[in-house]
Amino acid sequence: DTEVTQTPKHLVMGMTNKKSLKCEQHMGHRAMYWYKQKAKKPPELMFVYSYEKLSINESVPSRFSPECPNSSLLNLHLHALQPEDSALYLCASSQAWESGNTIYFGEGSWLTVV
Amino acid sequence: AQSVTQLGSHVSVSEGALVLLRCNYSSSVPPYLFWYVQYPNQGLQLLLKYTSAATLVKGINGFEAEFKKSETSFHLTKPSAHMSDAAEYFCAVSDPNAGKSTFGDGTTLTVKP
């Protein structure tokens, strides 16, 4: 069982909706990540939080808005998405934002934009 | 800049046969290397990683990989495939000084009975 928990597992939303994806870890990790994964493709890094501060934003459109309320929680707020944003969104964490640390992934949230 | 190439987007083996998944990397500094597995409808799970210690790395589920600097390779092997090994496998490389990992395009492993 993964130690990174994501909710919801499935989400269908219209292009005018506002929704959020949630992620939680209790491993004491200080780095948390959001990835986007299309079918049969590798995950693409979207955001990295290190010690609750946004460290990396990989030029993600503003319709995706991350939030890190505390060291255990990571949210991704969604607004005015497009159908091409439909994908698997993976949350992950690691001990620190340093190369070589094992990244632990959640099972993902399947997002469909209609 | 770093990159990783996985040779063969699909690999099919018979149950009990050797599994060999190929990964070549490019990095300007000695890299860290990873293999992840993704089962259907799940997230990624680390199989093993190389971080400049022993060049032969043993991972979970009987997998191992050997770092070969001269060939810039980090191929994943398992002596005997099991049906439960059917999944997507990703090789990843990261610069020890940069933190960010770059993933390969993935290899789908099919295991035939």
Side-chain angles (χ1 to χ4, degrees):
Chain A
D1 288 339
T2 182
E3 296 182 73
V4 177
T5 304
Q6 291 187 240
T7 56
K9 290 196 184 306
H10 298 273
L11 177 63
V12 179
M13 60 185 291
M15 290 188 283
T16 58
N17 290 160
K18 285 185 181 181
K19 298 285 185 183
S20 296
L21 305 180
K22 298 185 183 300
C23 176
E24 188 171 9
Q25 58 88 14
H26 292 290
M27 295 180 280
H29 289 172
R30 303 316 300 262
M32 296 188 76
Y33 312 75
W34 280 114
Y35 287 84
K36 174 183 178 181
Q37 187 180 26
K38 292 285 224 180
K40 301 298 184 184
K41 295 292 186 183
E44 301 170 25
L45 184 64
M46 299 174 72
F47 303 103
V48 180
Y49 273 83
S50 178
Y51 290 87
E52 299 155 53
K53 292 190 183 335
L54 184 63
S55 297
I56 299 284
N57 177 341
E58 292 285 39
S59 303
V60 179
S62 59
R63 57 185 183 268
F64 295 91
S65 174
E67 178 196 20
C68 189
N70 60 53
S71 61
S72 300
L73 294 175
L74 185 66
N75 299 322
L76 186 63
H77 303 298
L78 314 170
H79 174 53
L81 296 193
Q82 303 297 310
E84 59 264 29
D85 296 322
S86 298
L88 177 67
Y89 288 84
L90 293 164
C91 176
S93 71
S94 64
Q95 198 164 22
W97 171 234
E98 289 171 2
S99 186
N101 280 298
T102 297
I103 299 177
Y104 295 83
F105 287 84
E107 293 194 349
S109 293
W110 289 94
L111 173 67
T112 303
V113 181
V114 297
Chain B
Q2 58 196 24
S3 65
V4 62
T5 301
Q6 292 184 239
L7 299 172
S9 58
H10 291 86
V11 171
S12 181
V13 301
S14 297
E15 192 172 19
L18 171 71
V19 175
L20 171 61
L21 304 183
R22 299 177 187 273
C23 173
N24 287 88
Y25 69 89
S26 173
S27 178
S28 57
V29 297
Y32 292 158
L33 293 157
F34 308 80
W35 275 101
Y36 289 89
V37 62
Q38 186 174 29
Y39 298 104
N41 300 317
Q42 293 190 24
L44 280 72
Q45 179 184 8
L46 182 72
L47 277 176
L48 48 82
K49 66 179 180 181
Y50 167 78
T51 55
S52 74
T55 56
L56 181 62
V57 182
K58 294 188 185 298
I60 62 171
N61 303 339
F63 285 94
E64 63 181 38
E66 186 172 7
F67 173 69
K68 292 187 176 180
K69 184 178 177 181
S70 60
E71 299 176 9
T72 61
S73 69
F74 190 58
H75 301 331
L76 182 71
T77 61
K78 182 174 179 178
S80 176
H82 191 272
M83 297 296 290
S84 61
D85 294 326
E88 190 78 14
Y89 291 80
F90 293 98
C91 182
V93 62
S94 70
D95 179 337
N97 301 317
K100 179 181 171 183
S101 291
T102 300
F103 286 85
D105 286 340
T107 297
T108 303
L109 176 65
T110 302
V111 182
K112 300 175 290 185

